[in-house]
């Protein structure tokens, strides 16, 4: 299925989330991770365009940014409603972010993760270059408690040798209590095997 990506809106409160008229109730995929994990770079690699802003100062994004992925017919016509929606959530665990901002985030991030009916899958991004982080474990435990399906994505995998990457993934599985980590690289010239595997997972939430 060919999909065209378009920026929809930025939400700073639950009442800003895309409504039925805007998306037709399309399934949503949330991207979550620590502020310097490479979340925006991954979203841009998946969309094929620089739509997600990559900040030079991690932790600056304070909204949930929504992107619609619209089916394109064999004749080249874009359908009016998206088949899938990406939700780019603010990063967490960054030391320079004040407690007041973190408290502000909870006012709309928690409702999105706990109450949003359209949320079909959460992508938890973890950095393969550093040891497993307690904040990532806390996120996964939270999603398990809320019974939200999630997939764990290991970013920056191109920076490691195959042997080191294998050890890193094994540690991530062990510490986070998970069975699978999809290792990805967004660098040009690197294998896109991980991105293809991730796309298959994302497309699986689109109704047949």
């Amino acid at each position: 299925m060919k999909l065209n990506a378009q920026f929809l809106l930025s939400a700073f409160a639950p009442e800003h989330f895309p409504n039925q008229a805007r998306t037709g109730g399309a399934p949503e995929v949330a991207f979550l991770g620590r502020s310097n994990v490479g979340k925006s770079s991954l979203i841009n690699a998946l969309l094929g365009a620089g739509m997600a802003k990559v900040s030079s100062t991690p932790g600056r994004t304070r909204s949930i940014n929504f992107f619609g992925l619209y089916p394109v017919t064999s004749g080249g016509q874009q359908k009016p409603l998206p088949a899938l929606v990406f939700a780019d959530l603010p990063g967490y665990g960054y030391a320079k972010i004040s407690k007041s901002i973190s408290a502000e985030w909870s006012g709309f991030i928690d409702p999105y993760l706990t109450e949003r009916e359209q949320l079909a899958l959460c992508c938890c991004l973890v950095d393969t270059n550093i040891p497993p982080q307690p904040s990532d474990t806390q996120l996964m435990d939270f999603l398990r408690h809320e019974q939200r399906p999630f997939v764990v994505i290991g970013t920056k995998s191109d920076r490691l040798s195959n042997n080191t990457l294998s050890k890193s993934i094994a540690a991530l599985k062990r510490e986070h209590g998970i069975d699978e980590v999809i290792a990805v690289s967004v660098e040009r010239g690197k294998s896109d095997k991980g991105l293809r595997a991730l796309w298959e997972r994302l497309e699986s939430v689109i109704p047949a």
Side-chain angles (χ1 to χ4, degrees):
M1 178 188 298
K2 182 179 180 181
L3 299 169
N4 277 350
Q6 292 184 2
F7 173 75
L8 291 178
L9 55 87
S10 294
F12 294 87
E15 57 266 28
H16 298 158
F17 298 160
N19 57 26
Q20 181 79 14
R22 191 73 179 270
T23 69
E28 296 176 2
V29 175
F31 290 81
L32 308 99
R34 300 175 73 249
S35 298
N36 57 351
V37 76
K39 183 160 47 66
S40 295
S41 296
L42 175 61
I43 292 174
N44 285 333
L46 291 169
L47 298 181
M51 292 190 176
K53 185 176 180 181
V54 180
S55 175
S56 58
T57 304
R60 285 288 177 86
T61 302
R62 294 174 59 181
S63 62
I64 300 179
N65 297 315
F66 291 88
F67 305 87
L69 281 69
Y70 295 80
V72 178
T73 67
S74 57
Q77 297 296 314
Q78 178 176 297
K79 294 187 177 181
L81 293 173
L84 190 65
V85 174
F86 284 1
D88 180 10
L89 275 69
Y92 57 83
Y94 192 67
K96 293 183 180 180
I97 295 300
S98 70
K99 291 183 179 179
S100 62
I101 293 177
S102 297
E104 177 184 317
W105 283 349
S106 67
F108 65 102
I109 294 176
D110 285 354
Y112 181 77
L113 293 175
T114 60
E115 302 171 10
R116 185 69 169 170
E117 292 183 6
Q118 293 89 338
L119 180 56
L121 180 66
C122 293
C123 292
C124 302
L125 277 64
V126 297
D127 190 337
T128 60
N129 288 249
I130 61 176
Q133 300 296 298
S135 57
D136 294 333
T137 302
Q138 291 171 5
L139 171 64
M140 295 175 208
D141 287 343
F142 172 79
L143 295 175
R144 291 185 184 102
H145 180 266
E146 296 298 325
Q147 298 183 351
R148 289 293 193 183
F150 67 88
V151 59
V152 178
I153 303 164
T155 63
K156 307 177 186 179
S157 64
D158 55 286
R159 301 180 183 181
L160 302 176
S161 66
N162 289 338
N163 185 51
T164 304
L165 179 60
S166 296
K167 292 180 179 179
S168 174
I169 289 177
L172 290 167
K173 290 179 178 179
R174 181 176 62 253
E175 293 298 321
H176 297 317
I178 53 178
D179 297 324
E180 179 188 28
V181 175
I182 299 177
V184 299
S185 168
V186 299
E187 295 299 320
R188 292 183 178 180
K190 300 294 183 179
S191 171
D192 64 351
K193 181 179 179 181
L195 290 178
R196 289 198 301 269
L198 178 55
W199 259 122
E200 290 178 1
R201 182 65 60 86
L202 301 180
E203 291 179 333
S204 71
V205 307
I206 301 175

